[in-house]
Every structure is written in structure tokens, then in C-alpha cells.
């Protein structure tokens, strides 16, 4: 592998991401110089904000959704248990939990190293991320607010 990122390939991947969003007729904010795209999806309950970016150096695409709430200090251990169990249920992607702040992010990545990708790969990433975040965000919020117990959360996600 070369020490210098292949910016032409990275830009091609970035344009495929935009194509996937354009094909869905979704609105987004993009920054070509940073190869980032931000968009919001309205699911069944809580609006979901996403950040997608091309990491040219590592030859990966990252799709992140930062949940719009945090676990209060007295419920941070519950947040750790819940995000760990939620991630265990997943086939693709993971929840990242910052115990010092109680913040949760959902993350999916795909590598384009030595690969030919199509817009369908990004359609899958977007669909999978949206459905996963939509499924878990309200349950995690209810746990953070104390309206459900950890036992209820765990039985809801099985």
C-alpha cells in the first residue's frame, strides 16, 4: 500500500454516497473538500441525524449516528449494559458508548480497499443504519429516563 491516499478513488466513493442519497431523493448537506455528508431521517419516533464520511487514508467509509440524549450519571452503568447487549444483537454495525458522558453513537463502516463498490453498498449501509437506530433509540431513551427497567429493555430487544 502506498503512503499517499488515493484521493481520486476516495472522491469516486464519495460521489457514490451522494448518488445513493440522490436516488432516495433525500436532502443532505455535503462538504466535498472534507468528503462528508450529513442527513436526517425521520423514523417512527425520534429524528435520526447521520454523518457519513470517506476516510481516504484508511480507505473506509464511516456512517455515524449520534443519539440525541445521554444517560444521566446515575444510570451510566445501565447505559453500558444496554449498549453492549444491543450491539450483541446486531449483525452489522455497533453502538459506541462513552461512559464518562453517557453518550451513544451508532457506527457502521465499510472498506473500499481493493474493491469496486456500487451505490447499492451505500443503500445497504443507509438502510441498515436507519432501521437499527430507529429500533433501538426509543428503547435506550426510555431506559435513560427511567421509564423502563433494564430487564424490560433486555426483554424488548430479544
Amino acid at each position: 500500500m502506498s503512503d499517499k491516499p488515493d484521493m481520486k478513488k476516495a472522491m469516486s466513493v464519495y460521489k457514490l454516497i451522494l448518488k445513493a442519497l440522490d436516488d432516495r431523493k433525500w436532502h443532505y448537506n455535503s462538504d466535498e473538500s472534507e468528503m462528508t455528508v450529513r442527513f436526517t431521517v425521520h423514523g417512527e419516533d425520534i429524528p435520526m441525524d447521520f454523518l457519513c464520511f470517506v476516510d481516504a487514508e484508511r480507505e473506509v467509509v464511516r456512517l455515524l449516528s449520534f443519539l440525541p440524549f445521554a444517560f444521566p450519571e446515575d444510570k451510566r452503568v445501565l447505559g453500558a449494559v444496554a449498549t453492549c447487549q444491543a450491539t450483541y444483537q446486531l449483525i452489522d454495525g455497533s453502538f459506541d458508548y462513552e461512559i464518562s458522558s453517557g453518550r451513544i453513537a451508532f457506527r457502521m463502516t465499510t472498506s473500499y480497499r481493493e474493491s469496486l463498490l456500487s451505490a447499492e453498498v451505500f443503500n445497504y449501509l443507509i438502510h441498515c443504519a436507519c432501521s437499527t437506530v430507529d429500533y433501538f433509540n426509543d428503547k435506550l431513551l426510555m431506559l435513560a429516563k427511567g421509564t423502563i427497567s433494564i430487564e424490560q429493555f433486555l426483554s424488548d430487544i430479544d
Side-chain angles (χ1 to χ4, degrees):
M1 184 173 105
S2 169
D3 289 341
K4 186 176 175 190
D6 183 345
M7 297 309 290
K8 185 176 178 182
K9 187 171 184 180
M11 185 55 66
S12 174
V13 168
Y14 174 72
K15 290 183 186 231
L16 282 173
I17 297 165
L18 297 181
K19 179 180 177 356
L21 293 168
D22 288 339
D23 288 349
R24 291 171 177 257
K25 298 182 180 8
W26 283 6
H27 298 284
Y28 56 84
N29 294 316
S30 61
D31 182 340
E32 189 170 303
S33 65
E34 296 290 322
M35 288 188 283
T36 61
V37 184
R38 293 179 184 276
F39 57 95
T40 300
V41 178
H42 299 280
E44 290 186 24
D45 36 51
I46 303 169
M48 302 169 285
D49 294 323
F50 289 91
L51 167 64
C52 186
F53 63 96
V54 177
D55 182 337
E57 188 174 310
R58 293 186 176 114
E59 298 182 0
V60 297
V61 174
R62 293 185 182 158
L63 180 59
L64 302 168
S65 179
F66 298 94
L67 277 60
F69 58 87
F71 275 81
E73 196 167 343
D74 65 330
K75 291 184 174 53
R76 299 243 171 104
V77 173
L78 289 178
V81 170
T83 54
C84 182
Q85 189 61 36
T87 295
Y88 181 75
Q89 301 288 333
L90 302 178
I91 294 171
D92 282 329
S94 64
F95 285 99
D96 298 334
Y97 184 67
E98 174 55 53
I99 198 158
S100 64
S101 68
R103 300 296 313 235
I104 302 170
F106 179 75
R107 172 174 41 115
M108 286 187 77
T109 61
T110 191
S111 173
Y112 61 86
R113 180 174 288 156
E114 299 178 17
S115 300
L116 295 175
L117 300 180
S118 69
E120 286 307 307
V121 170
F122 302 110
N123 281 324
Y124 170 76
L125 281 176
I126 292 165
H127 175 75
C128 185
C130 289
S131 61
T132 302
V133 172
D134 195 36
Y135 179 76
F136 284 101
N137 63 5
D138 58 326
K139 295 167 183 58
L140 289 164
L141 176 60
M142 288 188 290
L143 183 63
K145 288 186 169 188
T147 58
I148 64 170
S149 67
I150 188 65
E151 292 80 15
Q152 289 171 302
F153 175 83
L154 295 173
S155 70
D156 282 352
I157 66 168
D158 271 344

